[in-house]
Amino acid sequence: MSTLVASDLDRTLIYSAAALDLAVPDAEAPRLLCVETYERRPLSYLTETAAALLAELAARTTFVPTTTRTRAQYGRIHLPGPAPEFAICANGGQLLVRGEPDPDWRRTVDERIAAHCAPLAEIRAHLVRTADPAWLRKERVAEDLFAYLVVERPLLPDTWVKDLTGWAAERGWTVSLQGRKIYAVPQPLTKSAAVAEVARRTGATEILAAGDSLLDADLLLAADRGWRPGHGELAAAGWCAPHVTALDEQGVAAGEEIVRAFLRGAASPERAVGHDGLG
């Protein structure tokens, strides 16, 4: 049985210093490996144990990093193990094959969005018009596919996100709040669709997945088996599914446990029962 492992990155496998959530005394903290720098400063980490396990996982399975990051943001990450043959960026909008974007896949994505969603320009204009400068720090467009805001989370009114979610849904868009970022993403733009394409190309018969945010829910639901950490958007909402394991671990410890779970899953593949998988 051929196993494909599709994993979200930020706050699933890798963690910023602010997201490490180390729950042990300093003298007992795990050794960390930096896997990303930004503006010449360390930014993202995993434990050294997780790094060794991830290298083993990448050698034994088709490991596919699956992220909402843009290609440029993904390019800053240097994970242990062999370079992945496939990677998914921009929440499924970009399929990288040996590091290069697949133009046929991008064309398919653009056609699906145009057929079902309001234009990006309309969504972006609404975000800028309704955001309060008191808590808005940055406004960005990613890969000409979706928009996001960087905000001061303590100042952000809960009702603003709720109102935006309803407004966007009427126009075929999904809203996700992750840390200091608010994403507005077209509903057809999904990680699961891109992973299904990789599974088709590789002939994978078992899909394992992990993620922490609302934008990972479709990926987890479509996989044969999945895991979510004890933190994040899905955990806060109490999100669950029969074939998805909700871990107790939080922070970088959850990342390590997810890699362990992937290795166990790859060693003992089993088809999930009662749902439509990617395979």
Side-chain angles (χ1 to χ4, degrees), residues 8 10-11 67-70 73 76 89-91 120 123-124 127 135 138 140-143 145-151 153 156 160-161 164-165 167-169 173-187 189 191 212-216 233:
D8 175 51
D10 294 280
R11 302 191 77 211
T67 179
T68 304
R69 287 180 176 231
T70 65
Q73 292 167 339
R76 300 195 303 252
C89 298
N91 210 62
L120 172 61
I123 305 302
R124 184 182 184 187
L127 290 174
W135 47 258
K138 297 178 184 177
R140 295 287 186 270
V141 168
E143 305 272 8
L145 286 166
F146 61 89
Y148 66 93
L149 307 179
V150 181
V151 304
R153 183 70 177 267
L156 177 68
W160 192 86
V161 175
L164 175 64
T165 299
W167 180 90
W173 287 67
T174 296
V175 172
S176 175
L177 175 61
Q178 301 180 38
R180 297 175 61 235
K181 293 182 179 179
I182 302 170
Y183 292 91
V185 178
Q187 290 176 1
L189 184 65
K191 294 179 178 181
D212 70 294
S213 79
L214 177 63
L215 294 176
D216 297 312
E233 203 175 18

Side-chain angles (χ1 to χ4, degrees), residues 58-135:
R60 290 173 50 183
T61 68
T62 299
F63 173 65
V64 184
T66 307
T67 179
T68 304
R69 287 180 176 231
T70 65
R71 286 172 292 165
Q73 292 167 339
Y74 170 70
R76 300 195 303 252
I77 300 173
H78 301 283
L79 295 172
E85 181 178 3
F86 298 97
I88 293 165
C89 298
N91 210 62
Q94 295 284 7
L95 174 58
L96 306 187
V97 183
R98 290 178 288 278
E100 296 298 322
D102 185 309
D104 291 335
W105 176 251
R106 176 57 189 264
R107 189 160 40 249
T108 297
V109 168
D110 287 341
E111 290 171 354
R112 290 174 180 172
I113 293 173
H116 299 286
C117 304
L120 172 61
E122 178 183 342
I123 305 302
R124 184 182 184 187
H126 181 82
L127 290 174
V128 173
R129 184 173 64 252
T130 59
D132 188 335
W135 47 258

Side-chain angles (χ1 to χ4, degrees), residues 254-271:
E256 184 175 310
E257 181 55 32
I258 285 169
V259 184
R260 292 184 190 278
F262 281 150
L263 279 169
R264 290 193 297 267
S268 56
E270 58 186 38
R271 300 299 293 188

Side-chain angles (χ1 to χ4, degrees), residues 5-88:
V5 175
S7 182
D8 175 51
L9 295 178
D10 294 280
R11 302 191 77 211
T12 297
L13 286 188
I14 66 175
Y15 292 80
S16 68
L20 290 173
D21 196 14
L22 296 172
V24 296
D26 290 346
E28 300 173 19
R31 285 166 58 98
L32 301 173
L33 175 68
C34 178
V35 293
E36 179 189 15
T37 59
Y38 179 59
E39 296 181 342
R40 300 181 178 86
R41 293 183 177 135
L43 183 61
S44 297
Y45 306 83
L46 40 63
T47 68
E48 286 191 349
T49 299
L53 295 172
L54 186 58
E56 180 183 350
L57 180 73
R60 290 173 50 183
T61 68
T62 299
F63 173 65
V64 184
T66 307
T67 179
T68 304
R69 287 180 176 231
T70 65
R71 286 172 292 165
Q73 292 167 339
Y74 170 70
R76 300 195 303 252
I77 300 173
H78 301 283
L79 295 172
E85 181 178 3
F86 298 97
I88 293 165

